[in-house]
Amino acid sequence: MSLIEEPRSRVEVPVRPAPPIPYGMLAELTHRCPLQCPYCSNPVELDRRNVELDTETWLRVFSEAAKLGVLQVHLSGGEPTARRDLEQMIRHCVEVGLYTNLITAGVGVTPERLQSISDAGIDHVQLSFQGATAEMTDKVSNFRGAHERKLAVAREVRRLGLPLTVNSVVHRANIHQIPDFIELALALDARRIEIAHSQYYGWALRNRGALMPTRDQVFWALDVVEEARIRLKGVLTIDAVVPDYYAKYPKPCMNGWGRQSLNVTPSGKVLPCHAAETIPSLDFWNVREHSLTDVWLNSPAFNAFRGTDWMPDLCKSCERKEIDWGGCRCQAMAIAGDAAATDPACHLSPLHADLLALAEADAEGTDIYDYRRYFQPDRTG
C-alpha cells in the first residue's frame, strides 16, 4: 500500500467576474413634487416625507459613491429643491469629487435659492418643460403658470453661468412641438436638450392610452431630430430617447443591468434602474443596512440580470447580446409578465407583434389624463 495518497479530485467553482465600476448615480432625494404630470415614471406608491433618508445618511451615501468610483450624481426627485438640506448635499458632493447635476421642475425655485445652490457648487442644471408653449406646459403639468416660472429659472441659471439642459418629455399631445422645443433650448442658451419619449412604467403606464404617439408621429420626430442634429452640430447637443413600442431592437437599458449606474430612492432602496421596483420578485437592499459597495457587488437584485448568463436562449444566441444586453427587464415584466423574457421590443420576440398592436391601439386612445395626484408637499420642509 502506498504511503502517498492519491490527489483528490478538485471541484471547479465558477468565479463570477467583478462587475464594471458604475460611473453615474441617480439620487432621488424626495418624491414630493408640485407638478402632476401624467407621464411620471415614479412608482405608483410614493415614498412619503417621513421615510426619506436623513441628511447624514445621504452624505454617507455620496461618500461611498465616490469611493466606489461614481463620477457624477444626478440630484432628482420628485422635486429635489423641496429638501432644505440640498445645498449641504451639494457641498459634500463637491468635497468628495462628484460632478453634480440638479434635475428640477423649476416652478418653486426663487432667484435667491438658485444663487444659494450655485454658491454650494452645483455643476449643471437640468430643467424640465412639459410643453414648448405656456398652454401645453400648464396643461400637461396641471400647474397654472408653470411655463413662465420655468422660463425665469432658465434665464437665472444662465445668468449665474451654469450650464443648462432642457428636458422635454414628448408624447402624442406635444410631439408636434419638437421643433419648438429645440428653438426654445436655443433661445434659453442651453447647451443640451433631451427629447425623451414617455417611457411606460409607474404612473405613465396608467396613461399609456392618452400618451402613445402614432407610428407616423414617431418616425416624423426621428427625422426632425436628425436634421436638427446636423444643422446645430457644435451649437446644441440633442439627445433623444425613442418609444420602444415601435422599435426593431430593444434599447440597451442603462447600458446593461448593473453595469454603469445605480439609483437610490428617497427611502434608501438601491435599484439597478429607475423602474426596477415594478419587478416584484426582486429584493432591493437598503443603504440603511448595507454600504453602497456591498449593494453594487453582492445585492441579489443587481446580480439578477447582470451580464448574459440569465438570458433566455433567444438572447444568448444573438450577436447583439452585449450591445443591447437583452433590452429592458421592466418592459419584459410589463408586457410578457416575466422579467427574464426577451424584451418584446425586439423584433425576434414572439410578443413583438402584440407590442405593436398595443401601441397602435393606444395611439387611438383617449386624450384624458389621469393626473399624478401627489400628496400635498410639506410647506415647512
Side-chain angles (χ1 to χ4, degrees), residues 57-355:
T57 303
W58 272 119
L59 299 187
R60 171 176 62 79
V61 169
F62 293 135
S63 294
E64 292 175 353
K67 185 177 180 181
L68 179 58
V70 170
L71 299 177
Q72 53 186 273
V73 60
H74 306 279
L75 304 171
S76 181
E79 175 50 54
T81 59
R83 296 277 307 222
R84 288 189 173 183
D85 53 0
L86 176 63
E87 288 89 334
Q88 185 178 352
M89 295 185 196
I90 294 169
R91 285 192 293 269
H92 184 79
C93 287
V94 173
E95 290 171 3
V96 298
L98 293 169
Y99 180 94
T100 52
N101 174 37
L102 177 66
I103 303 175
T104 177
V107 297
V109 186
T110 64
E112 293 77 17
R113 186 74 192 279
L114 269 178
Q115 182 69 63
S116 177
I117 289 169
S118 177
D119 291 343
I122 197 73
D123 291 299
H124 183 276
V125 176
Q126 183 170 324
L127 179 63
S128 67
F129 278 86
Q130 287 69 42
T133 61
E135 181 182 10
M136 185 63 69
T137 296
D138 295 359
K139 176 186 176 182
V140 176
S141 66
N142 204 28
F143 191 109
R144 183 176 298 176
H147 193 76
E148 294 304 320
R149 296 191 188 195
K150 290 169 183 288
L151 292 177
V153 168
R155 296 185 185 111
E156 187 66 17
V157 167
R158 294 303 295 128
R159 188 192 70 80
L160 291 169
L162 295 169
L164 172 68
T165 288
V166 168
N167 176 261
S168 53
V169 177
V170 296
H171 41 82
R172 188 168 69 240
N174 68 359
I175 193 170
H176 65 283
Q177 292 190 334
I178 287 180
D180 302 314
F181 276 120
I182 294 171
E183 291 305 313
L184 176 64
L186 291 170
L188 294 174
D189 193 28
R191 294 186 181 180
R192 175 176 169 268
I193 182 171
E194 181 176 315
I195 299 170
H197 286 260
S198 294
Q199 302 295 297
Y200 300 106
Y201 315 112
W203 199 263
L205 187 59
R206 289 193 175 191
N207 282 284
R208 191 176 62 191
L211 298 170
M212 182 68 70
T214 67
R215 185 183 184 89
D216 287 344
Q217 284 179 314
V218 170
F219 283 93
W220 170 84
L222 293 175
D223 289 340
V224 170
V225 168
E226 188 57 31
E227 183 277 330
R229 280 175 169 163
I230 295 170
R231 174 168 52 89
L232 298 172
K233 185 177 181 181
V235 177
L236 180 69
T237 299
I238 303 176
D239 292 333
V241 179
V242 300
D244 286 350
Y245 285 44
Y246 295 109
K248 181 177 181 181
Y249 297 108
K251 66 177 180 287
C253 189
M254 311 304 294
N255 288 311
W257 184 278
R259 292 190 70 250
Q260 294 185 350
S261 59
L262 64 163
N263 175 52
V264 183
T265 72
S267 62
K269 286 180 284 189
V270 189
L271 315 178
C273 80
H274 179 68
E277 287 182 279
T278 62
I279 304 175
S281 61
L282 296 181
D283 176 26
F284 301 105
W285 288 2
N286 196 296
V287 294
R288 300 179 197 271
E289 292 87 34
H290 299 269
S291 72
L292 210 58
T293 297
D294 188 22
V295 175
W296 179 256
L297 295 176
N298 302 312
S299 164
F302 273 80
N303 286 311
F305 305 112
R306 186 175 260 155
T308 60
D309 288 346
W310 63 271
M311 291 181 177
D313 291 341
L314 184 60
C315 297
K316 278 185 180 178
S317 61
C318 180
E319 62 183 10
R320 294 178 56 87
K321 68 179 180 181
E322 293 188 1
I323 296 175
D324 57 38
W325 298 98
C328 179
R329 298 302 89 221
C330 301
Q331 187 156 268
M333 185 71 230
I335 305 301
D338 179 5
T342 298
D343 186 341
C346 179
H347 72 289
L348 299 174
S349 166
L351 294 177
H352 186 66
D354 295 338
L355 188 71

